[in-house]
Amino acid sequence: MKKSRIIFAILTVLAVSACGKMLDQISPKGSITTDKLKDSDIALLQNGVMHQFEAIVSNLWFEGDYLAENYAAGPGFSFSDTHAETQSAASSTALSRWTYCYGKLQYANLLIKSAADNGSAAAKEALAVGYFFRAYVYYNLVTRYGGVPVIETPTNLDASVRRKSEAEVWEFIEDDLDRADENFEAAQVGFKSYAYVSPEAVALLRARVYLWEGKYAEAAAEADKVITSAAAFQLSASAEDWARMFINGSASRELVFAPVNIRSTDYIRLFERVNDTDGSFNYSPTAALYGGLFADATGKTGDWRGKATFGAEASRVIKFPNGQAGQFMPNPAPSESPLVVFRLADAYLMKAEAEWLGGSVGTALGTLKTLMETRYETVSLPATMTDDEFEALLLDELQREFYAEGRRWFDIKRLAIRRHGYVSALDYQSGDFPAWIRTVYPGNDSYAIDGWNDRHQLMYWPIPQAERDKSYGALTQNPGYEGYE
């Protein structure tokens, strides 16, 4: 109990809310210095940091579907212009995501600092977890804001909050993932279970980073590490097995990394937002998605993921079972369901995307077909496709597989950048968006993406003005927003 109090004291003071004015001196009464921590202390600290990882995963979970207009308002809830919430430097959404990510970043930095001078296997594993967590935080920052400040210490800003370039942030993420791998190797730690960060989880995050950077051969190779892993992951081949990934005590062999969310208080309940037991929740599927997302299409019929995603009530997403009647899968402890960060389907879909963008549609079709044959009753794909046809197929599969898991808006954005070249303010102003972006919001004809702000918001959010004010001008603004120079 004494050690638990020590770790809690260290963690509590690091719950900072912004990067602009963090304390230069953090030294809580009764704490011990990090270089005095024993292996048992580091293990406790690592467990505490994993709770913070779960928190950031859940906090960001619904955003990709919300911004992609995958949801209608749920019972007792309403929202209007989703994109207006991120198009102003004064917006609460842009500020809250920024402060939340930087607040959680400090836990990763503390774990890294605490384990850095201890050469034990336990400390090496903790370092790997810390580097993975930090890379994940920065991945979420750079995909929203572009270049951001890079902070590597838990107690101060080293007198700088200036933004790094986007390329520098991506490089930093890569370096952290390399450090995670090096420490897993030094600790001789491989895949234990989906509840733990593993080399396979590192490989999938790195594959996703490489896709964003346009490093397609590297992305395919990282994804293939998981497909061929000695851990022997296996694609779910039935609706029941696929649905088991999202329930407490899952025995799914498809899961690569899914924190187990076992707590005594402060449970993370994904179902409360889309499938609450009291009948009042935030989000429902749009009518068009409820009726058409899993419909038969040319070359593929009988997608059984549909019955594990949508229930008899058109207002509910039952992908995260609430433990009551009307669910596809029983879930006796829904408050302790895992948070699925990576699964084997990620590896196949990322590998296929990398192979396609790397120039081989035929190879990509073969990879994608392997996944699809486990998800449909019948699959009949042609030997080749045009780039536009494959893009449509890939976007459809990403939506079917990951609906309600916060992916959609970021998949759209990544393909707009990587295939269509929308990477600068000049591109936003002069180019027309590809036709598919105008059709990714089925059933919502009122949405227009022709305006400057809508097209710009697809690429980068504004740097929050409140953070710019705290930095005394050090934080520059993204182009297209008030305050840009």
Side-chain angles (χ1 to χ4, degrees):
M1 182 64 70
K2 181 178 179 182
K3 288 180 180 178
S4 297
R5 287 197 296 269
I6 291 171
I7 303 303
F8 180 76
I10 296 174
L11 286 174
T12 299
V13 296
L14 289 168
V16 293
S17 63
C19 81
K21 281 190 175 180
M22 294 179 185
L23 298 177
D24 287 333
Q25 298 294 329
I26 298 181
S27 183
K29 182 178 180 180
S31 71
I32 59 176
T33 57
T34 55
D35 61 342
K36 299 282 195 303
L37 294 176
K38 300 177 181 178
D39 281 355
S40 56
D41 299 321
I42 291 173
L44 288 171
L45 182 57
Q46 181 177 323
N47 287 340
V49 167
M50 283 305 301
H51 276 267
Q52 299 304 318
F53 185 89
E54 293 170 1
I56 197 170
V57 168
S58 63
N59 184 270
L60 303 175
W61 187 275
F62 293 96
E63 190 168 274
D65 288 281
Y66 179 73
L67 289 174
E69 301 191 18
N70 272 350
Y71 293 132
F77 188 74
S78 64
F79 56 85
S80 52
D81 187 349
T82 58
H83 298 276
E85 298 178 13
T86 57
Q87 290 180 9
S88 165
S91 73
S92 60
T93 299
L95 176 62
S96 66
R97 296 297 184 270
W98 177 283
T99 57
Y100 197 83
C101 285
Y102 274 105
K104 297 306 180 187
L105 172 67
Q106 298 311 295
Y107 293 95
N109 282 338
L110 176 65
L111 182 58
I112 292 168
K113 179 178 175 61
S114 301
D117 296 326
N118 184 325
S120 69
K124 295 294 185 184
E125 182 178 356
L127 275 172
V129 172
Y131 285 125
F132 176 85
F133 186 8
R134 191 165 71 182
Y136 184 86
V137 172
Y138 273 110
Y139 166 81
N140 280 283
L141 284 166
V142 73
T143 53
R144 287 165 173 79
Y145 303 96
V148 294
V150 170
I151 300 172
E152 300 181 66
T153 60
T155 56
N156 59 55
L157 296 177
D158 292 335
S160 175
V161 290
R162 295 187 181 278
R163 298 175 67 183
K164 297 286 189 180
S165 70
E166 183 173 351
E168 288 174 319
V169 179
W170 285 120
E171 183 178 2
F172 182 77
I173 293 170
E174 284 191 42
D175 289 344
D176 266 0
L177 293 174
D178 288 344
R179 296 179 187 112
D181 267 339
E182 290 165 4
N183 280 283
F184 273 134
E185 184 176 358
Q188 297 184 323
V189 171
F191 183 82
K192 299 178 181 178
S193 84
Y194 62 78
Y196 295 88
V197 180
S198 65
E200 287 82 358
V202 174
L204 288 183
L205 181 54
R206 187 186 281 109
R208 190 176 293 173
V209 167
Y210 283 152
L211 282 179
W212 280 84
E213 293 184 283
K215 299 179 178 180
Y216 303 126
E218 294 91 334
E222 291 298 315
D224 207 47
K225 286 181 182 178
V226 178
I227 293 171
T228 60
S229 170
F233 302 107
Q234 183 174 314
L235 288 168
S236 301
S238 70
E240 291 77 12
D241 192 40
W242 189 79
R244 287 190 185 96
M245 288 190 289
F246 307 100
I247 66 170
N248 171 259
S250 175
S252 172
R253 293 176 62 188
E254 182 160 340
L255 292 177
V256 176
F257 180 48
V260 292
N261 186 26
I262 296 177
R263 298 157 176 253
S264 58
T265 60
D266 193 27
Y267 291 106
I268 295 172
R269 300 180 175 99
L270 296 179
F271 68 84
E272 287 186 336
R273 306 287 290 277
V274 295
N275 184 25
D276 203 1
T277 57
D278 64 6
S280 177
F281 42 88
N282 302 65
Y283 307 129
S284 294
T286 64
L289 285 174
Y290 181 80
L293 176 58
F294 297 100
D296 291 347
T298 302
K300 52 186 185 182
T301 62
D303 186 348
W304 44 250
R305 289 170 294 192
K307 59 186 177 183
T309 302
F310 298 140
E313 297 178 53
S315 62
R316 290 182 184 269
V317 177
I318 63 168
K319 193 172 197 176
F320 315 114
N322 62 21
Q324 296 192 344
Q327 312 296 295
F328 178 73
M329 182 63 62
N331 193 8
S335 294
E336 299 178 15
S337 298
L339 305 173
V340 183
V341 177
F342 289 120
R343 57 183 181 269
L344 187 55
D346 281 288
Y348 279 96
L349 285 160
M350 287 193 286
K351 184 180 179 183
E353 182 177 335
E355 289 169 337
W356 162 54
L357 291 173
S360 180
V361 175
T363 303
L365 274 168
T367 299
L368 192 55
K369 186 178 180 181
T370 300
L371 171 68
M372 292 173 62
E373 285 178 337
T374 69
R375 300 323 200 209
Y376 294 88
E377 292 177 3
T378 65
V379 176
S380 178
L381 298 179
T384 189
M385 286 182 174
T386 66
D387 285 331
D388 287 346
E389 288 170 339
F390 186 85
E391 184 171 67
L393 176 64
L394 178 65
L395 280 165
D396 187 47
E397 285 307 310
L398 287 167
Q399 176 80 311
R400 289 171 184 248
E401 182 70 28
F402 298 117
Y403 176 76
E405 295 182 56
R407 306 288 190 94
R408 186 61 168 176
W409 185 250
F410 299 98
D411 290 336
I412 292 168
K413 175 178 176 177
R414 185 180 63 253
L415 286 175
I417 292 172
R418 295 273 41 112
R419 186 183 175 212
H420 299 283
Y422 292 94
V423 295
S424 74
L426 290 177
D427 289 328
Y428 308 150
Q429 296 179 62
S430 63
D432 286 333
F433 268 38
W436 60 260
I437 291 183
R438 302 177 190 277
T439 61
V440 294
Y441 310 104
N444 190 348
D445 295 333
S446 64
Y447 182 74
I449 202 164
D450 294 322
W452 158 263
N453 280 341
D454 284 341
R455 296 202 294 172
H456 180 76
Q457 191 270 347
L458 180 64
M459 300 302 117
Y460 300 114
W461 287 1
I463 303 301
Q465 188 59 45
E467 292 301 306
R468 296 190 67 222
D469 292 342
K470 292 176 184 177
S471 74
Y472 301 105
L475 285 175
T476 57
Q477 185 55 273
N478 280 326
Y481 298 104
E482 184 178 357
Y484 172 70
E485 297 178 2

